[in-house]
């Protein structure tokens, strides 16, 4: 089986990603059975996905309440200056605060949006007074205590196919295995393109 390049992932690669994302504790043998390849091929492909950075890690997801971190807080941060140096200094300092789970540079009313886990409001007040307002370049912060997490999705949505064909469409397994269907689909796409004016020959 031909190996894919670093720039593109094929269907088998995506099957491996989906399987590991859903259940990271799968053994190589179990994973190979899930994606219908040999264990040797599965191990080689999985290692390549790690080496190329497509898989950044496999970890356990801990329930925050189980370790006493019941309060989820979102903090909007405005810096006093919008310069590369200010951003770099702020981001470097944020990386040192373990209570900050996520830090994202955003567009809108804030420069950054922080996601923080703490025990309770008193714990956050301590963190805010000792660390957050002391972050370099901070001019203003706005705090939002999360009352209810309606949805939290930690996994990425992985498409069925990784590489579009020459028409920019993702081929379906049915059309790939059936030449007649492929020809009919090709003619249909040509007709649609011409009908919309995208076909130069028919548009003249």
């Amino acid at each position: 089986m031909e190996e894919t390049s670093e720039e593109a992932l094929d269907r088998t690669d995506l099957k491996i990603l989906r399987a590991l994302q859903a259940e990271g504790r799968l053994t190589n043998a179990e994973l190979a059975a899930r994606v219908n390849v040999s264990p040797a091929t599965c191990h080689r492909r999985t290692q390549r996905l790690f080496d190329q950075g497509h898989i950044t890690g496999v970890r356990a997801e801990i329930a925050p309440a189980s370790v006493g971190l019941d309060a989820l807080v979102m903090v909007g941060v405005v810096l006093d200056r919008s310069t590369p140096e200010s951003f770099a200094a702020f981001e470097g300092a944020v990386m040192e605060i373990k209570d900050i789970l996520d830090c994202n540079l955003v567009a809108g009313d804030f420069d950054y949006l922080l996601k923080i886990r703490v025990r309770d409001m008193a714990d956050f007040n301590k963190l805010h007074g000792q660390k957050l307002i002391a972050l370099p370049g901070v001019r203003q912060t706005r705090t939002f205590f999360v009352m209810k997490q309606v949805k939290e999705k930690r996994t990425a949505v992985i498409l069925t196919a990784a590489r579009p064909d020459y028409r920019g469409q993702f081929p379906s397994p049915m059309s790939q295995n059936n030449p007649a269907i492929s020809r009919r689909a090709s003619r249909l796409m040509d007709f649609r393109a011409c009908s919309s004016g995208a076909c130069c020959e028919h548009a003249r």
Side-chain angles (χ1 to χ4, degrees), residues 71-73 75 99-101 114-118 124 127 132:
L72 177 61
V73 189
V75 179
D99 306 270
I100 299 177
L101 304 181
L114 310 180
K115 179 180 178 181
I116 298 173
R117 275 280 180 189
V118 290
F124 175 77
L127 174 69
L132 294 186

Side-chain angles (χ1 to χ4, degrees), residues 115-134:
K115 179 180 178 181
I116 298 173
R117 275 280 180 189
V118 290
R119 291 191 295 272
D120 49 30
M121 185 176 294
D123 193 25
F124 175 77
N125 285 338
K126 180 179 178 181
L127 174 69
H128 183 270
Q130 295 181 355
K131 295 182 179 181
L132 294 186
I133 62 175

Side-chain angles (χ1 to χ4, degrees), residues 14 31 80 95 119 154 193:
L14 294 179
L31 181 59
D80 55 8
M95 298 298 290
R119 291 191 295 272
R154 298 187 179 94

Side-chain angles (χ1 to χ4, degrees), residues 17 31 54-55 62 77 125:
L17 292 177
L31 181 59
H54 301 295
I55 302 176
I62 309 300
V77 178
N125 285 338

Side-chain angles (χ1 to χ4, degrees), residues 136-154:
V138 172
R139 177 168 62 87
Q140 178 186 358
T141 64
R142 289 188 63 185
T143 300
F144 305 89
F145 274 84
V146 176
M147 300 177 64
K148 177 183 178 181
Q149 282 188 270
V150 178
K151 180 179 181 180
E152 183 182 27
K153 188 175 180 65
R154 298 187 179 94

Side-chain angles (χ1 to χ4, degrees), residues 5-118:
S5 67
E6 184 173 351
E7 289 75 20
L9 302 176
D10 65 13
R11 293 179 183 277
T12 300
D13 292 328
L14 294 179
K15 288 180 180 179
I16 292 173
L17 292 177
R18 281 195 296 271
L20 288 178
Q21 184 172 249
E23 192 173 350
R25 297 178 64 185
L26 289 172
T27 66
N28 182 68
E30 292 170 335
L31 181 59
R34 292 275 184 95
V35 302
N36 197 29
V37 296
S38 70
T41 297
C42 183
H43 182 270
R44 183 171 64 252
R45 282 177 172 264
T46 302
Q47 187 60 52
R48 176 170 53 80
L49 292 173
F50 273 101
D51 293 341
Q52 294 180 357
H54 301 295
I55 302 176
T56 58
V58 179
R59 60 185 63 86
E61 294 180 359
I62 309 300
S66 299
V67 290
L69 300 176
D70 293 291
L72 177 61
V73 189
M74 312 298 290
V75 179
V77 178
V78 179
L79 300 185
D80 55 8
R81 290 179 298 169
S82 296
T83 64
E85 294 77 15
S86 297
F87 291 153
F90 177 84
E91 293 170 9
V94 162
M95 298 298 290
E96 301 300 320
I97 303 179
K98 62 180 180 60
D99 306 270
I100 299 177
L101 304 181
D102 298 329
C103 173
N104 295 286
L105 179 66
V106 297
D109 294 335
F110 306 112
D111 291 313
Y112 290 92
L113 190 61
L114 310 180
K115 179 180 178 181
I116 298 173
R117 275 280 180 189
V118 290

